Amino acid sequence: MVEEEVERTIEALLQERRTFAPSEEFTQQANLKDPSVYEQASSDPDAWWASQAERLHWFKKWDTVSELDPPHHTWFVGGQLNASYNCLDRHLDEHGDRVAYHWVGEPGDRRAVTYRELHEEVSRLANALKDLGVTKGDRVAIYLPMVPELPAAMLACARIGAAHSVVFGGFSAESLRDRINDAECKVLITADGSYRRGQTVPLKENADEALRDCPSIEKVVVVQRTKDDVNMVEGRDLVYRNLVSDAPSECEAEPMDSEDMLYILYTSGTTGKPKGIVHTTGGYLTGVASTHFNIFDIKPETDVYWCAADIGWVTGHSYIVYGPLANGCTSILYEGAPDWPEKNRWWSIIEEHKATILYTAPTAIRSFMKWGTEWPQRHDLSSLRLLGSVGEPINPEAWIWYQEFIGGGRTPVVDTWWQTETGAIMISPLPGVTTLKPGSATVPYPGVSADVVDEQGKPVGPDGGGYLVLKRPVPSMFRTIFGDDQRYRETYFGRYGDEIYFPGDGAKLDDDGYFWLLGRVDDVMNIAGHRISTYEVESALVDHPSVAEAAVVGRNDPKEGETIVAFVTAKSGSEGGEDLMQELRNHVAKVIGKLARPHSIVFTDDLPKTRSGKIMRRLLKDVAEGRELGDVTTLQNAPILDDIRTKAASLHADE
Ligand code: WTA
């Protein structure tokens, strides 16, 4: 289809189907079809969450469902369970031969891993880790590509009670180092390299660089993925496959208290170093198993489910590893890029494996829209019966495009709002119950209490805009920031008191009480669905010898999503030209990772500052987005804005 035709179709569909109720056919077969679940869950949230915890296997049942001591809360207190046991062992008798992962490597290699095989791999690796001295409560860093060894490594940690800290493979050596040191990890599990768009990413090289300054690491386990010749440090580095083959295949799953730590995952905050978000065992697993089952309407016997995120982010932790495996379903695990070797890679995977559910981010959907409908149209996608979206607000056009050209105009689209901190989906339709509105994440999941409030914490009511808050803790919510409980209190409960969780998002409520998410209200950007703070990018920029000062803002565009724009003052003697621009982009990639590279850099002689010297990022955001400038009266150097605007004109050249 040509582009104008696609646009006309989208417009017509938007008009015609502003809202759509679930089809009778879908509702009939849905896992959750009774709307009274909302009422029941809100009148007795503990009873609801307890019913969801029953999905799991508990070695010992809990004594109390929840104990609230705001801003802290604990769940299923006194209960004992093991996440790896829940994801593997309990499925073996009845469907051990079911495929857990259809793995697809980027170069075209593939492997189907059954629950039984994964169980054996995990047990062997767990024994090997024990042998390396890892014990309950230790932390293990994992820096791996999207290979089956990644979920295996996470589950091996969970099996012996060690907490994993997965670091996304796209992060740099420095980012890896900081995360390892913050959690004082004892062992690192990494790979020689990984494949991305036909190139290899030198993970082991990055790891070696990081490890020059990581005193807590005793051993390094190396998965041989690319089989490249890599440096192996005698006595420290061990080959994954040898370790696993040599270890015994039986390993008892350690009984863990419900509140024992399952993992740490780092995420960006507005200030300082990334925050180590701590998730515990019973509550987290309850939340992900429940939401995965009900929101994706999982039929473990027949569905082939694909969450196309990277396991290095929370979406992969919850909806590639723990949720799907706890529910015993079959997933697709794909290693590489969506446009390699061609732009139809995803659609060919869906056709080949007859995928029934696809869960991805608006940024990917927007790329597919740009690439054109001819790519999906080459393939039979009729196996799909449900689509999901996560990570950023999805614009109604993208929503309709997704449903029409990927979902064949038939499938529900569940737009799911949540965060690393919440562990599981908090606001989302139930596909058999909720009437959908393209662009809205709809309503809170049963048992979740959300609202939109103003600065003072007063509910804005229907049709009002303000700040999203969660008014009651839920089991899957994080418990603290690793090693920094004070920051936990200040960041999330500093605004409205200990009982009200503030996620940092703006939202609007409509007349039906539907939530429309508006993006972050703080200095956290959402770049291709990944959280990066302006602060981190600024710190990386000023760390470069030619930079005197830098201010970073996210530039929002409904079609492009958010991109990073940096305003940089070069040190005297440095030339702010094309060369420095390239150098700075590379520098940020080195310090944080490629994903944080500024899309545009504007060199300027000064930055707009208040009389007290505070940089006014709000005005720079106006400049970046080509808007009328907001209030400039508090500026000490207002004239500089004209100059910046002229220099930034090229940002809008294509509009
Ligand atoms: C944003 C990713 C609008 C939001 C799971 C949140 C969304 C941040 C949505 C968390 C959505 C996530 N609609 N915005 N459906 N889902 N967000 O921690 O700003 O990487 O605070 O978790 O992404 O990002 P995180």
Side-chain angles (χ1 to χ4, degrees):
M1 262 171 122
V2 287
E3 208 176 312
E4 295 99 78
E5 222 179 305
V6 171
E7 267 173 36
R8 268 201 305 278
T9 309
I10 291 174
E11 241 167 70
L13 289 173
L14 265 172
Q15 292 300 332
E16 178 199 335
R17 303 193 263 182
R18 274 277 156 210
T19 66
F20 19 138
S23 70
E24 217 164 281
E25 208 188 332
F26 193 96
T27 300
Q28 267 191 359
Q29 60 81 59
N31 288 350
L32 241 181
K33 46 178 155 252
D34 180 4
S36 72
V37 64
Y38 286 108
E39 188 45 49
Q40 286 166 25
S42 75
S43 66
D44 191 350
D46 275 9
W48 158 254
W49 288 122
S51 75
Q52 297 309 294
E54 300 284 2
R55 301 178 171 284
L56 306 175
H57 177 91
W58 294 81
F59 295 141
K60 175 176 173 285
K61 201 174 164 171
W62 57 88
D63 303 317
T64 41
V65 176
S66 70
E67 288 179 10
L68 310 184
D69 177 18
H72 294 106
H73 51 108
T74 49
W75 290 84
F76 311 114
V77 184
Q80 287 194 330
L81 77 170
N82 181 286
S84 156
Y85 186 94
N86 271 283
C87 289
L88 301 168
D89 305 53
R90 72 180 169 129
H91 303 311
L92 296 186
D93 279 349
E94 279 177 31
H95 45 260
D97 295 323
R98 181 179 296 160
V99 172
Y101 293 113
H102 287 291
W103 176 72
V104 182
E106 196 190 69
D109 42 350
R110 57 200 60 214
R111 214 154 97 202
V113 186
T114 64
Y115 275 88
R116 201 177 311 287
E117 288 164 341
L118 190 57
H119 174 260
E120 187 181 329
E121 174 102 354
V122 166
S123 303
R124 287 178 184 274
L125 180 59
N127 280 324
L129 289 175
K130 274 199 214 167
D131 239 26
L132 297 181
V134 178
T135 57
K136 190 169 169 171
D138 282 343
R139 276 84 56 205
V140 173
I142 302 178
Y143 185 57
L144 282 175
M146 288 281 283
V147 289
E149 288 83 355
L150 172 49
M154 294 161 75
L155 294 170
C157 292
R159 197 164 190 88
I160 61 175
H164 54 74
S165 165
V166 178
V167 179
F168 171 56
F171 274 126
S172 67
E174 290 181 36
S175 295
L176 174 63
R177 178 198 63 199
D178 293 348
R179 285 160 174 76
I180 289 175
N181 288 339
D182 187 71
E184 296 179 86
C185 298
K186 199 170 188 176
V187 167
L188 168 66
I189 305 177
T190 185
D192 45 11
S194 72
Y195 291 104
R196 190 75 190 174
R197 286 207 178 81
Q199 310 268 314
T200 56
V201 181
L203 288 180
K204 181 62 165 57
E205 230 175 273
N206 291 351
D208 281 340
E209 195 184 327
L211 293 183
R212 276 193 234 139
D213 199 8
C214 292
S216 60
I217 292 286
E218 295 169 11
K219 297 284 176 199
V220 179
V221 180
V222 183
V223 174
Q224 292 173 317
R225 168 61 184 132
T226 58
K227 310 264 180 353
D228 285 336
D229 210 5
V230 294
N231 167 48
M232 295 291 279
V233 175
E234 180 85 43
R236 185 195 74 179
D237 299 357
L238 304 145
V239 174
Y240 175 99
R241 194 47 59 196
N242 298 346
L243 272 185
V244 166
S245 314
D246 294 347
S249 62
E250 295 287 319
C251 176
E252 198 77 21
E254 183 79 29
M256 302 295 285
D257 280 337
S258 176
E259 282 297 323
D260 276 338
M261 178 158 65
L262 177 60
Y263 70 78
I264 305 172
L265 183 60
Y266 286 84
T267 187
S268 295
T270 47
T271 55
K273 53 182 192 186
K275 302 173 283 197
I277 300 299
V278 172
H279 281 292
T280 54
T281 310
Y284 173 79
L285 214 56
T286 297
V288 296
S290 167
T291 49
H292 180 255
F293 185 77
N294 290 317
I295 294 172
F296 298 107
D297 191 46
I298 296 296
K299 310 286 189 280
E301 304 76 27
T302 49
D303 272 320
V304 178
Y305 159 90
W306 186 11
C307 168
D310 192 290
I311 293 176
W313 305 98
V314 75
T315 304
H317 279 59
S318 299
Y319 297 107
I320 299 179
V321 182
Y322 289 109
L325 295 178
N327 287 327
C329 91
T330 296
S331 294
I332 292 172
L333 188 65
Y334 172 53
E335 178 184 37
D339 54 350
W340 188 266
E342 291 232 66
K343 296 189 169 67
N344 63 337
R345 187 68 189 266
W346 280 23
W347 319 126
S348 88
I349 292 173
I350 288 176
E351 179 172 44
E352 181 185 338
H353 291 285
K354 300 206 167 23
T356 54
I357 299 163
L358 175 66
Y359 187 33
T360 186
T363 182
I365 299 165
R366 284 193 302 266
S367 297
F368 296 131
M369 288 175 78
K370 242 184 292 179
W371 296 341
T373 49
E374 66 265 31
W375 299 103
Q377 278 168 349
R378 280 193 204 169
H379 298 274
D380 177 7
L381 305 181
S382 61
S383 54
L384 288 171
R385 64 178 196 91
L386 188 136
L387 301 175
S389 169
V390 61
E392 36 178 340
I394 178 165
N395 46 315
E397 291 76 11
W399 195 107
I400 288 284
W401 186 94
Y402 190 30
Q403 194 201 41
E404 186 64 20
F405 296 106
I406 306 305
R410 298 166 281 110
T411 58
V413 175
V414 293
D415 174 5
T416 62
W417 179 91
W418 58 295
Q419 308 180 294
T420 306
E421 291 86 341
T422 68
I425 297 168
M426 294 286 113
I427 303 180
S428 160
L430 289 174
V433 175
T434 317
T435 294
L436 306 173
K437 299 188 190 184
S440 167
T442 74
V443 295
Y445 187 70
V448 175
S449 168
D451 205 348
V452 179
V453 300
D454 64 14
E455 287 284 349
Q456 280 72 46
K458 213 169 104 264
V460 296
D463 224 14
Y467 304 102
L468 178 69
V469 291
L470 300 181
K471 295 190 294 186
R472 192 180 185 282
V474 296
S476 67
M477 272 272 226
F478 72 134
R479 299 297 188 259
T480 188
I481 293 173
F482 188 77
D484 199 349
D485 197 58
Q486 190 54 28
R487 195 172 172 200
Y488 165 82
R489 289 171 175 274
E490 283 164 11
T491 310
Y492 302 100
F493 301 92
R495 201 166 174 127
Y496 300 117
D498 285 349
E499 313 234 353
I500 306 277
Y501 171 77
F502 176 55
D505 278 44
K508 223 184 77 184
L509 275 179
D510 72 11
D511 286 341
D512 298 326
Y514 275 43
F515 288 73
W516 297 74
L517 277 309
L518 302 173
R520 305 285 307 185
V521 295
D522 52 17
D523 292 327
V524 175
M525 299 175 288
N526 189 324
I527 307 302
H530 302 137
R531 273 161 71 177
I532 314 244
S533 76
T534 55
Y535 169 88
E536 280 172 285
V537 182
E538 284 168 8
S539 310
L541 285 168
V542 295
D543 171 63
H544 188 279
S546 303
V547 174
E549 253 186 335
V552 166
V553 299
R555 176 182 182 228
N556 272 300
D557 177 297
K559 287 232 160 82
E560 300 289 327
E562 193 163 6
T563 52
I564 303 177
V565 180
F567 296 85
V568 169
T569 317
K571 277 201 185 135
S572 57
S574 296
E575 211 37 70
E578 200 51 50
D579 286 352
L580 184 56
M581 198 177 293
Q582 209 38 57
E583 210 178 301
L584 292 181
R585 282 168 47 83
N586 293 341
H587 183 71
V588 174
K590 183 172 173 295
V591 177
I592 309 174
K594 277 190 184 159
L595 67 165
R597 275 184 311 197
H599 179 271
S600 329
I601 297 179
V602 178
F603 290 104
T604 157
D605 298 335
D606 201 359
L607 296 167
K609 286 180 197 140
T610 61
R611 289 190 185 90
S612 56
K614 199 168 160 296
I615 298 172
M616 293 280 277
R617 283 187 193 73
R618 174 171 62 73
L619 294 170
L620 292 171
K621 201 169 165 73
D622 291 341
V623 171
E625 293 179 353
R627 256 196 312 269
E628 283 285 300
L629 293 186
D631 185 7
V632 299
T633 48
T634 55
L635 282 192
Q636 54 155 310
N637 58 347
I640 192 70
L641 279 166
D642 288 334
D643 186 47
I644 296 179
R645 269 214 286 197
T646 315
K647 290 187 169 135
S650 63
L651 293 177
H652 312 291
D654 52 341
E655 284 166 9

